[in-house]
Amino acid sequence: MACRAGCASSFCAVSRGHEGGMAALRRFLARRPGAVQALTAGALMGAGDVIAQQLVEQRGLRGHHSQRTLKMTAIGFCFVGPVVGGWYRILDRLIPGATKTVAVKKMVLDQGAFAPCFLGCFLAITGAVNGLSVEQNWAKIQQDYVDALLTNYCIWPPVQIANFYFVPLAHRLAVVQCVAIVWNCYLSWKANRL
């Protein structure tokens, strides 16, 4: 079958398939934004853990903890995607608009109120999933929280201003999660370091 330009090359056939796939993804995102956001967050949290284990911790394939990767993927799917996606919808209702001033206000609320709570919950959930007792989990949170929050403040404010100003609501979590591969790598390393 020929493309719109009349060519029958395999490149155009692949391009047509890609266009169809992207259209299907856009339709699915419009119908089920929460599901897409959860799947995206899960996949990218898993990717961040693989990067943490292979590049930061240099475990190698034989030393890779696949259970840890599955746990981080599950946390992304069950916690990060739904919570962050829901937060962006709430934030858009609280502070409507897309001006530079609105983007800065959203970033201040995001980083001043949401990020500290979210990070504490993330560390607590990760500790619980990793089997830490309540006392061990609390000690780990006390050990890691301030450092993780300060690192958060070095990375996220400029990313979030750009995200809130340029990116439509339906795509914000995906943009954040793409940038967050590095952040997820850090969080995975921090949360799983004993």
Side-chain angles (χ1 to χ4, degrees), residues 4 29 45 59 70 75 116 121 125 131 148 156 159 164 172:
R4 281 174 251 164
L29 180 58
M45 287 292 296
R59 292 183 178 273
L70 289 173
I75 291 168
C121 290
I125 289 168
W156 288 109
V159 171
F164 294 136
R172 284 188 191 143

Side-chain angles (χ1 to χ4, degrees), residues 111-112 115-117 119-120 123 141-158 183 186-187 190:
Q111 293 299 302
C117 296
L119 188 55
L123 291 172
I141 291 168
Q142 288 178 314
Q143 171 189 324
D144 293 342
Y145 179 77
V146 171
D147 184 49
L149 187 61
L150 292 175
T151 303
N152 169 82
Y153 289 146
C154 292
I155 295 170
W156 288 109
W183 177 244
Y186 168 78
L187 280 181
K190 183 65 111 175

Side-chain angles (χ1 to χ4, degrees), residues 2-87:
C3 74
R4 281 174 251 164
C7 114
S9 75
S10 60
F11 175 77
C12 286
V14 169
S15 294
R16 278 193 313 279
H18 176 68
E19 287 172 9
M22 290 304 292
L25 180 61
R26 280 192 296 274
R27 284 191 306 274
F28 186 62
L29 180 58
R31 278 183 297 158
R32 301 248 194 261
V36 172
Q37 291 170 341
L39 289 169
T40 301
L44 293 172
M45 287 292 296
D49 181 68
V50 169
I51 293 167
Q53 289 193 53
Q54 296 306 314
L55 297 181
V56 176
E57 300 166 28
Q58 299 182 349
R59 292 183 178 273
L61 294 178
R62 291 177 193 236
H64 187 86
H65 295 164
S66 56
Q67 287 294 330
R68 178 177 133 182
T69 301
L70 289 173
K71 288 175 186 177
M72 294 304 289
T73 301
I75 291 168
F77 179 73
C78 297
F79 174 68
V80 175
V83 170
V84 176
W87 166 244

